[in-house]
Amino acid sequence: ATIAPDFLSRNVDALLEADGTHATVFTLAADGRRAERRDVTVLFLAGARVAVTGLDGVHTVITEGNAYLDDGDAVRVQP
């Protein structure tokens, strides 16, 4: 399947509070030190991947420990 440029494919583990076409994810803030809660629209699932919109300008989506985060929490990126 081809994903258009305005869609982002992410690991399904990134989704929180998913309800049909709406979900929440946590992203890494621009400062690289905080979690930011973002609402996304789910377009479709393909195995362990999910296509979403609503992540314009986002480079990193948090997929581990995200269920324990609150908006603005300090985070540390580990390789």
Side-chain angles (χ1 to χ4, degrees):
T2 301
I3 297 177
D6 56 337
F7 304 167
L8 293 175
S9 173
R10 296 289 183 235
N11 186 310
V12 72
D13 292 337
L15 295 183
L16 298 169
E17 301 172 359
D19 181 18
T21 59
H22 302 286
T24 300
V25 299
F26 279 99
T27 64
L28 187 63
D31 67 10
R33 301 183 329 189
R34 292 176 298 108
E36 288 185 342
R37 184 184 193 97
R38 300 282 292 260
D39 293 325
V40 296
T41 300
V42 176
L43 301 174
F44 62 87
L45 294 169
R49 304 293 290 177
V50 59
V52 300
T53 60
L55 293 176
D56 296 335
V58 170
H59 298 292
T60 305
V61 174
I62 300 170
T63 58
E64 292 187 33
N66 51 343
Y68 305 102
L69 292 173
D70 287 316
D71 193 35
D73 276 355
V75 295
R76 183 174 12 159
V77 177
Q78 296 182 342

